């Protein structure tokens, strides 16, 4: 509501805070909120539109069933209940749900807490180990969704666009097949976008939100590697070679505790890195 500075302050935790710039701007907005910033930044009306085709405009959800002012962030709070059952207390609580025109809507709590940092800590590792142990399984390489998606993309890409790149990724795909040799690979559930800007540190430990890309069966260590790579690329802006060279030190820290806690061999870790590279690159 443009009339309510409290709604502006309540909505600030929904804004991105993974970057240094965000962490500097949002406290300034909070301190200025009593002085009319809400009137300039707020919106007098809020419409919530659902995904998917709709024949009629009125089929979309026009208003959440709540009284008073609202702080809203755009997103897709999908698969909340699955995650809540798998990791109690680690994901946003489901506040309300309903259906309109055959489509489901969900309202979730805002996850409170402080920014947990761009470096993987023992608290991050504890979260990932809890998720991994609650969902540990195994599957053949060809049945792994990440491998299937990467193979499909690689097949559809034209080799003559960048022959050297395409050749290297085909070699990587072949190496994964050869080293798997028909054996099943370790798998766990994965948040899918486990990054510094999608987690909060609380007294009870790490809590994660934005579970849009949740997978019930992803390659083991997917979240762990994703956290490190995304932090290196988007926050520290490391070149690719430096990221590759950083993995040895990375696995000497809390990341190694996750691998050992999931009973992974060194070959499993190397294969997980290769599979992540193949999936993200393709």
């Amino acid at each position: 509501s443009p009339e309510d500075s409290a709604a502006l302050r309540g909505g600030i935790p929904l804004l991105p805070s993974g970057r240094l710039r965000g962490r500097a701007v949002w406290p300034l907005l909070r301190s200025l909120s009593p002085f009319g910033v809400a009137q300039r930044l707020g919106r007098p009306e809020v419409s919530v539109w659902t995904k998917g085709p709709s024949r009629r405009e009125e089929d979309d959800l026009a208003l959440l069933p709540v009284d008073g002012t609202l702080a809203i962030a755009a997103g897709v709070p999908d698969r909340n209940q699955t995650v809540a059952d798998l990791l109690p207390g680690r994901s946003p609580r489901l506040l309300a749900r309903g259906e309109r025109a055959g489509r489901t809507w969900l309202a979730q709590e805002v996850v409170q807490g402080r920014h947990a940092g761009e470096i993987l800590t023992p608290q991050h590792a504890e979260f990932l180990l809890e998720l991994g142990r609650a969902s540990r399984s195994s599957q053949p390489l060809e049945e792994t969704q990440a491998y299937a998606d990467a193979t499909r993309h690689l097949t559809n890409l034209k080799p003559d666009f960048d022959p050297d790149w395409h050749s290297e990724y085909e070699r990587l795909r072949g190496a994964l097949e050869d080293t798997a040799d028909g054996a099943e690979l370790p798998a766990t559930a994965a948040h899918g976008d486990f990054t510094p800007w999608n987690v909060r540190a609380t007294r009870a430990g790490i809590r994660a939100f934005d579970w849009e890309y949740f997978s019930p069966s992803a390659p083991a260590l997917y979240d762990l590697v994703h956290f490190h790579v995304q932090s290196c690329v988007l926050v520290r802006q490391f070149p690719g070679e430096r990221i590759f060279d950083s993995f040895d030190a990375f696995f000497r820290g809390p990341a190694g505790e996750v691998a050992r806690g999931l009973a992974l061999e060194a070959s499993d870790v190397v294969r997980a890195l290769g599979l992540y590279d193949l999936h993200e690159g393709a």
Side-chain angles (χ1 to χ4, degrees):
S1 165
E3 305 296 329
D4 194 342
S5 60
L8 175 65
R9 291 194 299 274
I12 287 175
L14 301 175
L15 300 172
S17 59
R19 308 286 182 87
L20 182 61
R21 178 183 176 186
R23 296 200 298 275
V25 170
W26 308 148
L28 177 63
L29 284 179
R30 186 181 292 108
S31 64
L32 294 177
S33 61
F35 304 105
V37 174
Q39 284 87 338
R40 292 193 289 275
L41 297 182
R43 295 291 181 268
E45 295 178 322
V46 173
S47 296
V48 180
W49 295 76
T50 52
K51 276 189 171 183
S54 176
R55 295 180 181 178
R56 301 177 304 172
E57 184 175 312
E58 59 268 26
D59 283 346
D60 285 292
L61 183 65
L63 184 67
L64 290 174
V66 226
D67 292 329
T69 54
L70 293 174
I72 290 180
V76 187
D78 194 10
R79 302 165 182 172
N80 181 87
Q81 199 57 50
T82 301
V83 176
D85 293 341
L86 192 62
L87 288 181
R90 293 291 202 173
S91 62
R93 287 185 298 112
L94 183 64
L95 301 179
R97 65 186 303 169
E99 187 174 294
R100 183 183 175 93
R103 284 172 289 170
T104 299
W105 60 265
L106 304 172
Q108 294 175 294
E109 70 168 327
V110 176
V111 175
Q112 302 294 341
R114 70 181 189 280
H115 179 62
E118 287 88 20
I119 305 298
L120 192 89
T121 67
Q123 288 71 37
H124 291 90
E126 179 187 28
F127 175 97
L128 294 174
L129 194 51
E130 185 179 333
L131 177 60
R133 284 173 170 165
S135 57
R136 181 75 153 82
S137 63
S138 60
Q139 57 189 190
L141 177 66
E142 60 273 12
E143 294 180 15
T144 302
Q145 190 63 49
Y147 176 79
D149 289 345
T151 299
R152 185 179 69 255
H153 292 315
L154 197 58
T155 301
N156 291 336
L157 290 169
K158 295 180 179 179
D160 56 357
F161 181 77
D162 190 338
D164 291 339
W165 180 93
H166 203 278
S167 174
E168 287 298 318
Y169 271 78
E170 281 289 0
R171 286 178 59 194
L172 175 58
R173 184 177 67 84
L176 286 168
E177 290 180 349
D178 291 342
T179 57
D181 195 26
E184 293 197 340
L185 307 182
T188 66
H191 176 282
D193 194 18
F194 190 74
T195 55
W197 43 93
N198 283 335
V199 301
R200 290 286 183 271
T202 71
R203 289 182 179 180
I206 293 293
R207 297 187 71 197
F209 54 94
D210 193 4
W211 292 80
E212 178 182 354
Y213 298 105
F214 171 77
S215 170
S217 185
L221 305 183
Y222 181 91
D223 281 342
L224 186 76
V225 177
H226 186 73
F227 184 95
H228 183 62
V229 171
Q230 295 300 311
S231 297
C232 287
V233 171
L234 297 177
V235 179
R236 286 172 277 176
Q237 299 183 345
F238 284 1
E241 185 175 351
R242 186 174 177 185
I243 296 173
F244 181 83
D245 291 341
S246 72
F247 275 115
D248 185 50
F250 179 62
F251 277 99
R252 287 201 300 267
E257 295 299 321
V258 178
R260 286 187 289 273
L262 295 176
L264 301 180
E265 302 289 341
S267 57
D268 295 324
V269 175
V270 174
R271 196 176 292 112
L273 291 173
L275 191 48
Y276 179 86
D277 187 13
L278 181 70
H279 180 261
E280 296 301 307

